[in-house]
Amino acid sequence: MSESESSRPPLVFAYYVTGHGFGHATRVVEVVRHLISSGHRVHVVSAAPEFVFTTEIHSPNLFIRNVLLDIGSVQSDALTVDRRASLEKYCEIAVEPRDSILATEVEWLKSIKANLVVSDVVPIACRAAANAGIRSVCVTNFSWDFIYAEYVMAAGHHHQSIVWQIAEDYSHCEFLIRLPGHCPMPAFHDVIDIPLVVRPLHKSRREVRRELGVPDNVKLLIFNFGGQPAGWKLKEEYLPAGWLCLVCGASAKQELPPNFIGLPKDVYTPDVIAASDCMLGKIGYGTVSEALACKLPFIFVRRDYFNEEPFLRKMLEYYQGGVEMIRRDLLAGCWAPYLERAVTLKPCYDGGIDGGEVAAKILQDTAMGKKRSKLNLSGAGARRLRDAIILGFQLQRAPGRDLSVPEWYQVAGDEAGTPPVDQTQKSSMFVEGFEILHGDHHGLIDTTSFLDSLATLAKIGGHHQEREHLAAAALFNWEEDIVVARAPGRLDVMGGIADYSGSLVLLMPTREACHAAVQRNHPSKQKLWKHAEARHHSRDTPILEIVSFGSELSNRGPTFDMDLTDFMEEDGKPISYEKAYHYFSKDPSQKWAAYVAGTILVLMREMNVSFEDSISILVSSTVPEGKGVSSSASVEVATMSAIAAAHGLEISPRDIALLCQKVENYVVGAPCGVMDQMASACGEANKLLAMICQPAEILGLVEIPSHIRFWGIDSGIRHSVGGSDYGSVRIGAFIGKTMIRSFASSETNSGEVEEESSELVEYDASLDYLCNLSPHRFQALYASKLPQTITGEEFLEKYGDHGDSVTTIDRKGTYQIMAPTKHPIYENFRVQAFKALLTATPSEEQVIGLGELMYQCHDSYSACGLGSDGTDRLVRLAQKMEKLKHSKTENGTLYGAKITGGGSGGTVCVIGRSSLRSSEQILEIQRKYKEATGFMPYVFEGSSPGAGKFGYLKIRKNSSPPPST
């Protein structure tokens, strides 16, 4: 400390630390240490144990105040976040007592005469500082509005206000000191980036090993999951010979094998990390930063539903320091192949590790009154709050590079061969590297691109490839036949969630599609990845191996493998759908595999298909996920179509769709209707598939008039049919139908029904689909009798079952009844009118009428609670475009818009004239939406054939150049 610094009176800092784990507390220690060494006083507000701070900082200028002001994420185990419980606990701790918390904190901040409030990253601390008239700064790599935004889909629409409130609290912060590996944090309007905050080493590697009694020739693994998880039993055989494992957080009562050593709870972890050869644990800021600083290879297991992780993982892998372990290999003790891989890594982080010192200097300058020149962001402050949820759902992960796994996914034994490729000749029966033995690519650019990517995979042997591509390169026997199928997504033009109530729906296949490549092999000839070979000891058992391209965009594991015998009971019969659901739910980072592997189980159960060969599947989709355009249906339909073709099964497109609905309903556990799969399987390019969902009656294809065009615009808010809002609305509709049947049955039994109405009332008493009830009968006879809401317990006590096999009523839940019941009845009428108008004589009135029907549909979604701020904004922008006045010679305009699919985000469908002016207005909506939210929406434009129309391709690697043309 300089003479001028020592002559200044000490500054007072109030440093708030989130209640989420020890990682935040340990990095705060490093910043606080530098503040105190500069002569300042720091009051730490935290629920972390006091020893975390006092062990490292021995000073009378450190004051600890043990208070819990947020909860972070509630974890059901070391790797799984309970999203609903997290939001409910946050409500209990920070929302319900908010007024008293603010009053207490303001009084306390004034009592200690704080010069600056620092938060890592407690939301309410920023608001309390503002109320006390004190400046505040946040120091973090993530914010809770971003983390909680995705949880809302699991916990319900009513929790959105939590995200907005958190974002509003953060907006009172003067600026953000942002750490490396950060996620998007839209609530902050000014940012300073700093290096990694890393705790210094106290002892050398040799000193630590000597104290532990570990010779230099023994490999050390540090097992770091934030404390030994309950139910995990470590076994001696988990470690290869020559390895010892240091277990962080092991309890004194826990029995450990002789090659595992329990570390005391107050051990100084950075020293142990530096003394180790590898770390096995879950990704968090502390583990990643210290592994990078020590250049220590890190074997990580994904955590579920924690959005901080993908960004830290990308940073870890960018610096060639990470190897991903599949969760079941962690629990089963299949560690050896991962350890062998990890010790070959050469982590190369060369950035700064003095972030604690840098942050302390910035905080000191700010507390002394130094002002930053704020960024001139018109979006800063209160208006950005609602938009924060948009960026929260849109997990904008930096593309990055993946340099860390060059040979990890090579086949055990020899590398994949490189086929000769003739790049000069092409014909209808040849694509580069392959001969087409069956089918036609129909001139589809995405299909030829996919085939080109297969040719590239067949010759991969170098470095600098994405992990998923390396895994795919080792997936197939390139000398054998491969079957390829294609299935598009769908744009829900009209009908939407009314499908499960038997409505008419109108659907357009998208230009974007999923391709699935499938190959059968005898188990003895199946190529296995090294980590899979370590698990599958028998080469007589059929194995399923799957690679999913685009895994990083959705934070899922890129590969999946299983014994197909796992789908069989001991008596030789297929397992139940319930068992399959639990099988895939065990590891949410690999739950995506249920959409793919589930097709095999459905074929086993519904068609008695026996699978004796191993199966390799590559799935590559350009249908964006979470945007309400049926990305899941396209994966299911493409996969099942390819598997059926590879096994010589003749299944009609309609039956493919019905089978795929079973995959989604029963194996995945998402309560969707059948329209998505039907559009993907049975649709045709530039036509609307007209279908009555009772359960799947195709009425035909409706030509889209040449003067009309449809677009889809993505809101950026992640949609999920597995979300609670969709499910609760569906339950509400089925409850409403049950009540209507009961009302009608009571009237019939009472004998008070007029003779001319008795037949209709009897029909209502056995109503099979809500959409078979006309709007006027609903309004006249039943609307006044239905309650607005009902509790699950009240309904079950009075009516018993709601008649829907894919949803379950929560006794403690409260369900809307009127809006979810009314919506499908009126929507069916709207769709019928829409279909009739499409075939009417072209006129201005025709298009205005079509647009009005779409607006009515959108409002009805909102009444059900299935709207969202992003989709509402897009619809309002379309309405503004509609009202623009142009010259009399200008026909281009937009006429209507509506939310699509399951709602609660996703995509908006827009109708307009097929003209240049309409396309310009769509681009204008894009621009205005980006200005308002910071998110550039994707536009769905164009159409393509369904899986049935496409058929399938059978391809084989070229053995000779294609014929000249």
Side-chain angles (χ1 to χ4, degrees):
M1 187 163 51
S2 67
E3 186 176 334
S4 61
E5 289 177 326
S6 62
S7 63
R8 288 196 303 259
L11 299 168
V12 178
F13 296 85
Y15 211 132
Y16 288 80
V17 188
T18 185
H20 179 74
F22 284 2
H24 295 265
T26 54
R27 74 187 182 199
V28 165
V29 165
E30 185 59 14
V31 180
V32 170
R33 187 173 66 83
H34 284 285
L35 288 172
I36 289 178
S37 68
S38 296
H40 306 305
R41 297 172 184 166
V42 182
H43 295 257
V44 174
V45 183
S46 172
E50 191 169 314
F51 76 83
V52 175
F53 304 97
T54 56
T55 300
E56 292 304 307
I57 304 173
H58 308 281
S59 170
N61 286 334
L62 173 66
F63 306 88
I64 308 295
R65 178 167 165 250
N66 195 268
V67 178
L68 181 64
L69 295 178
D70 72 353
I71 188 59
S73 292
V74 175
Q75 295 186 215
S76 51
D77 59 45
L79 296 173
T80 305
V81 170
D82 187 327
R83 293 169 290 177
R84 183 187 295 270
S86 297
L87 292 174
E88 290 175 348
K89 193 68 175 176
Y90 185 84
C91 280
E92 177 188 331
I93 289 174
V95 177
E96 293 169 5
R98 178 178 175 81
D99 291 342
S100 63
I101 290 174
L102 283 171
T104 300
E105 295 310 302
V106 168
E107 182 181 353
W108 177 74
L109 288 171
K110 289 180 177 179
S111 72
I112 66 169
K113 299 179 180 179
N115 298 101
L116 184 69
V117 170
V118 189
S119 180
D120 183 358
V121 61
V122 181
I124 204 169
C126 302
R127 182 57 185 265
N131 289 1
I134 303 169
R135 301 167 75 188
S136 65
V137 175
C138 284
V139 184
T140 187
N141 64 303
F142 73 85
S143 58
W144 287 113
D145 55 331
F146 178 77
I147 301 299
Y148 286 162
E150 192 171 12
Y151 296 3
V152 170
M153 290 307 299
H157 185 81
H158 59 286
H159 284 298
Q160 279 191 356
S161 60
I162 294 177
V163 179
W164 297 341
Q165 184 65 70
I166 291 173
E168 183 178 11
D169 286 345
Y170 285 146
S171 72
H172 293 284
C173 163
E174 188 164 318
F175 61 88
L176 166 68
I177 297 176
R178 188 168 63 182
L179 302 173
H182 57 81
C183 67
M185 291 180 274
F188 298 99
H189 48 74
D190 199 2
V191 174
I192 302 175
D193 287 307
I194 65 170
L196 288 175
V197 176
V198 179
R199 292 178 288 176
L201 299 179
H202 295 339
K203 299 176 182 177
S204 69
R205 173 185 173 92
R206 179 166 293 183
E207 286 177 307
V208 174
R209 281 179 165 254
R210 185 170 60 246
E211 290 176 4
L212 291 171
V214 178
D216 290 341
N217 64 343
V218 171
K219 296 287 186 185
L220 264 186
L221 171 69
I222 179 168
F223 187 82
N224 192 354
F225 283 89
Q228 174 65 14
W232 288 9
K233 185 172 179 61
L234 301 172
K235 299 180 180 179
E236 184 174 357
E237 58 267 26
Y238 288 4
L239 293 175
W243 281 82
L244 284 177
C245 181
L246 307 176
V247 182
C248 294
S251 68
K253 298 180 180 178
Q254 184 177 357
E255 292 185 12
L256 293 174
N259 51 353
F260 286 77
I261 301 172
L263 296 174
K265 69 175 184 178
D266 59 349
V267 69
Y268 190 62
T269 311
D271 286 348
V272 182
I273 288 175
S276 300
D277 298 284
C278 182
M279 178 155 56
L280 171 57
K282 61 184 180 182
I283 285 181
Y285 180 83
T287 53
V288 170
S289 61
E290 289 175 350
L292 288 174
C294 295
K295 293 183 167 56
L296 184 76
F298 189 170
I299 301 172
F300 61 86
V301 182
R302 295 187 190 225
R303 285 190 291 176
D304 307 326
Y305 314 125
F306 198 72
N307 299 343
E308 172 195 22
E309 181 177 296
F311 305 93
L312 293 171
R313 185 172 69 243
K314 270 295 181 186
M315 181 170 67
L316 180 68
E317 295 179 342
Y318 179 82
Y319 291 110
Q320 304 182 48
V323 173
E324 180 176 352
M325 177 183 281
I326 298 170
R327 183 179 304 189
R328 67 177 182 272
D329 286 344
L330 169 73
L331 301 177
C334 184
W335 296 6
Y338 298 94
L339 292 171
E340 291 168 8
R341 167 64 192 142
V343 295
T344 68
L345 296 179
K346 299 187 183 301
C348 59
Y349 179 76
D350 55 359
I353 57 173
D354 59 344
E357 182 178 359
V358 174
K361 181 65 169 66
I362 296 170
L363 294 174
Q364 175 182 274
D365 290 346
T366 305
M368 291 172 61
K370 183 177 179 179
K371 297 285 187 180
R372 278 182 53 78
S373 56
K374 290 186 180 180
L375 299 178
N376 183 22
L377 292 178
S378 61
R383 193 190 52 70
R384 287 174 63 86
L385 307 181
R386 289 174 179 264
D387 303 326
I389 197 170
I390 293 174
L391 289 178
F393 279 119
Q394 184 66 24
L395 304 185
Q396 296 180 345
R397 298 176 172 84
R401 288 180 294 167
D402 193 336
L403 309 179
S404 62
V405 198
E407 70 276 3
W408 173 232
Y409 282 104
Q410 284 177 3
V411 178
D414 296 335
E415 294 188 3
T418 304
V421 177
D422 187 331
Q423 300 186 17
T424 62
Q425 303 288 339
K426 288 189 179 182
S427 73
S428 61
M429 296 303 295
F430 287 83
V431 291
E432 184 176 355
F434 290 101
E435 178 184 1
I436 298 177
L437 304 176
H438 176 276
D440 182 3
H441 55 61
H442 299 275
L444 292 166
I445 294 174
D446 62 339
T447 300
T448 55
S449 176
F450 178 71
L451 296 175
D452 287 343
S453 72
L454 288 180
T456 302
L457 291 174
K459 57 184 179 180
I460 280 181
H463 299 271
H464 309 303
Q465 300 289 342
E466 293 285 342
R467 282 186 299 159
E468 58 195 30
H469 288 84
L470 288 158
L475 183 65
F476 296 119
N477 288 313
W478 295 105
E479 305 294 331
E480 303 297 330
D481 294 352
I482 298 172
V483 170
V484 175
R486 176 190 184 277
R490 66 96 187 96
L491 185 64
D492 162 32
V493 175
M494 287 292 286
I497 59 164
D499 63 340
Y500 54 68
S501 293
S503 178
L504 172 67
V505 295
L506 296 172
L507 311 164
M508 185 179 80
T510 63
R511 178 184 59 188
E512 296 78 8
C514 173
H515 287 85
V518 170
Q519 185 179 73
R520 296 171 59 185
N521 286 297
H522 188 275
S524 63
K525 296 181 178 180
Q526 176 75 359
K527 292 186 173 184
L528 293 179
W529 302 306
K530 288 181 179 179
H531 64 288
E533 185 184 49
R535 189 184 317 110
H536 303 292
H537 301 294
S538 171
R539 297 307 296 263
D540 297 325
T541 302
I543 304 296
L544 171 65
E545 291 184 300
I546 308 171
V547 176
S548 170
F549 279 179
S551 57
E552 281 302 307
L553 297 176
S554 297
N555 192 24
R556 61 173 184 262
T559 66
F560 176 84
D561 62 276
M562 64 177 289
D563 286 0
L564 284 177
T565 53
D566 289 348
F567 277 156
M568 304 300 292
E569 299 282 12
E570 290 184 3
D571 62 4
K573 295 180 180 179
I575 63 174
S576 68
Y577 288 134
E578 183 180 5
K579 284 187 177 180
Y581 170 78
H582 290 296
Y583 179 93
F584 289 107
S585 297
K586 287 185 293 187
D587 183 355
S589 73
Q590 293 204 313
K591 189 175 180 179
W592 62 267
Y595 293 99
V596 182
T599 60
I600 294 174
L601 178 63
V602 169
L603 288 171
M604 285 178 171
R605 288 187 58 85
E606 306 301 327
M607 298 190 65
N608 297 316
V609 180
S610 176
F611 294 95
E612 298 179 355
D613 286 340
S614 291
I615 303 174
S616 300
I617 304 177
L618 170 64
V619 175
S620 176
S621 182
T622 58
V623 184
E625 296 178 35
K627 301 188 185 302
V629 289
S630 301
S631 58
S632 59
S634 66
V635 169
E636 294 155 358
V637 172
T639 302
M640 186 169 285
S641 298
I643 290 174
H647 291 81
L649 305 175
E650 295 186 5
I651 309 175
S652 71
R654 178 182 181 276
D655 288 341
I656 286 276
L658 292 171
L659 290 169
C660 288
Q661 184 196 17
K662 290 184 181 294
V663 175
E664 189 135 1
N665 285 171
Y666 300 122
V667 183
V668 177
C672 70
V674 74
M675 72 174 194
D676 298 351
Q677 289 80 7
M678 290 293 290
S680 187
C682 306
E684 292 189 19
N686 302 312
K687 297 177 182 178
L688 299 182
L689 179 71
M691 181 182 73
I692 295 178
C693 303
Q694 300 190 14
E697 179 187 346
I698 297 176
L699 296 185
L701 296 159
V702 180
E703 293 279 354
I704 300 174
S706 60
H707 65 290
I708 289 176
R709 197 169 183 182
F710 296 101
W711 295 265
I713 308 178
D714 168 35
S715 68
I717 298 180
R718 190 171 180 85
H719 151 87
S720 169
V721 295
S724 63
D725 293 321
Y726 174 92
S728 62
V729 170
R730 176 170 175 147
I731 289 171
F734 277 87
I735 287 177
K737 185 187 75 170
T738 302
M739 288 182 164
I740 288 171
R741 290 175 56 152
S742 177
F743 298 152
S745 180
S746 297
E747 287 192 29
T748 301
N749 295 333
S750 69
E752 297 177 1
V753 182
E754 296 179 3
E755 186 175 345
E756 59 271 22
S757 302
S758 61
E759 187 174 335
L760 287 173
V761 174
E762 287 178 10
Y763 175 81
D764 295 345
S766 57
L767 187 69
D768 48 358
Y769 293 97
L770 272 176
C771 291
N772 290 339
L773 182 64
S774 64
H776 78 271
R777 282 187 61 74
F778 169 75
Q779 200 64 43
L781 299 179
Y782 305 115
S784 62
K785 298 179 180 179
L786 284 176
Q788 292 294 324
T789 63
I790 194 171
T791 65
E793 186 169 10
E794 183 182 353
F795 172 80
L796 291 172
E797 290 297 327
K798 187 171 183 179
Y799 296 95
D801 185 37
H802 68 314
D804 183 21
S805 62
V806 299
T807 57
T808 302
I809 293 177
D810 180 358
R811 282 186 170 271
K812 296 181 180 179
T814 299
Y815 297 95
Q816 279 199 81
I817 305 302
M818 176 59 76
T821 304
K822 182 179 179 180
H823 172 79
I825 294 170
Y826 281 79
E827 180 71 357
N828 185 49
F829 179 80
R830 285 189 289 265
V831 184
Q832 290 172 346
F834 195 95
K835 180 174 178 286
L837 270 175
L838 276 176
T839 59
T841 303
S843 66
E844 183 74 1
E845 290 74 17
Q846 175 205 31
V847 194
I848 290 173
L850 292 169
E852 175 60 26
L853 290 169
M854 293 179 76
Y855 285 139
Q856 290 180 18
C857 171
H858 180 80
D859 291 341
S860 187
Y861 262 77
S862 297
C864 292
L866 291 175
S868 74
D869 295 291
T871 49
D872 287 347
R873 188 191 297 274
L874 286 170
V875 171
R876 289 195 301 270
L877 287 170
Q879 288 173 326
K880 288 180 181 179
M881 291 295 171
E882 179 195 355
K883 293 174 182 177
L884 290 177
K885 300 299 182 183
H886 303 286
S887 65
K888 293 181 180 180
T889 58
E890 178 61 77
N891 294 322
T893 186
L894 306 179
Y895 289 87
K898 61 176 279 286
I899 195 171
T900 63
S904 297
T907 295
V908 162
C909 178
V910 181
I911 186 173
R913 286 192 176 274
S914 182
S915 68
L916 177 60
R917 180 59 189 156
S918 293
S919 296
E920 290 173 347
Q921 289 185 334
I922 292 293
L923 294 176
E924 182 70 5
I925 290 174
Q926 256 190 318
R927 184 185 67 78
K928 287 183 178 294
Y929 192 80
K930 185 177 187 299
E931 284 179 359
T933 68
F935 171 74
M936 174 61 82
Y938 182 92
V939 173
F940 297 91
E941 190 171 7
S943 185
S944 67
K949 196 73 173 176
F950 180 86
Y952 70 92
L953 300 175
K954 181 180 287 186
I955 61 175
R956 182 184 297 162
K957 190 191 75 172
N958 279 342
S959 56
S960 59
S964 59
T965 56

